[in-house]
Amino acid sequence: MTTLVSTDLSTDLSTDLSTDLIRDPIRDSIRDSIRDSIRDELRMRLAEILSCGTEEIDDDRTFAEHGLDSVLGVELVALLNTRYGLEELLDTVYAYPTVRQLSAYLSARTTALGATAK
């Protein structure tokens, strides 16, 4: 009988998988800091576009509930793309319709791409 996977390879694979599951507090802290920074930036940009104060922006209300329509959404996406070096489309605002959801998504994107604020 032929063995398809050697013992060494399966041991290496299990080691690699377990390493990925270990949480890194420094990495988590940096990720959280980036997410919070993006959330603050998103609140500020949204307030500017909607001509309101940042204190009026609720992280869990949808952009539509805040009064953001598709025209203003295009403006928001353009500002965020310029700021973070992304190429997102308006669909992103609909897929992640709250400040909390969009900031988490943008944080993951900028971290994965290694993008920095301009």
Side-chain angles (χ1 to χ4, degrees):
M1 176 180 266
T2 305
T3 304
L4 297 176
V5 177
S6 73
T7 307
D8 292 335
L9 180 60
S10 58
T11 301
D12 291 342
L13 181 61
S14 65
T15 302
D16 290 342
L17 291 175
S18 64
T19 304
D20 290 342
L21 298 176
I22 297 172
R23 297 194 53 95
D24 179 352
I26 295 172
R27 184 183 64 220
D28 291 348
S29 177
I30 292 169
R31 185 193 63 233
D32 292 347
S33 177
I34 291 169
R35 185 197 59 234
D36 293 346
S37 175
I38 290 173
R39 186 182 314 140
D40 292 344
E41 175 80 18
L42 183 53
R43 277 190 208 114
M44 184 180 74
R45 297 296 182 179
L46 186 58
E48 287 175 7
I49 289 170
L50 297 174
S51 300
C52 68
T54 55
E55 68 279 354
E56 296 177 58
I57 304 298
D58 181 334
D59 290 354
D60 296 312
R61 284 180 55 204
T62 66
F63 296 120
E65 290 173 326
H66 282 290
L68 190 77
D69 60 20
S70 60
V71 174
L72 296 175
V74 168
E75 185 178 344
L76 177 64
V77 170
L79 287 169
L80 295 171
N81 282 341
T82 300
R83 177 82 169 139
Y84 296 105
L86 300 172
E87 295 180 6
E88 296 299 323
L89 301 173
L90 178 60
D91 294 346
T92 304
V93 172
Y94 294 114
Y96 305 93
T98 68
V99 169
R100 186 176 313 280
Q101 291 172 350
L102 184 56
S103 61
Y105 169 76
L106 293 174
S107 173
R109 289 276 293 138
T110 58
T111 302
L113 295 175
T116 57
K118 295 180 181 176

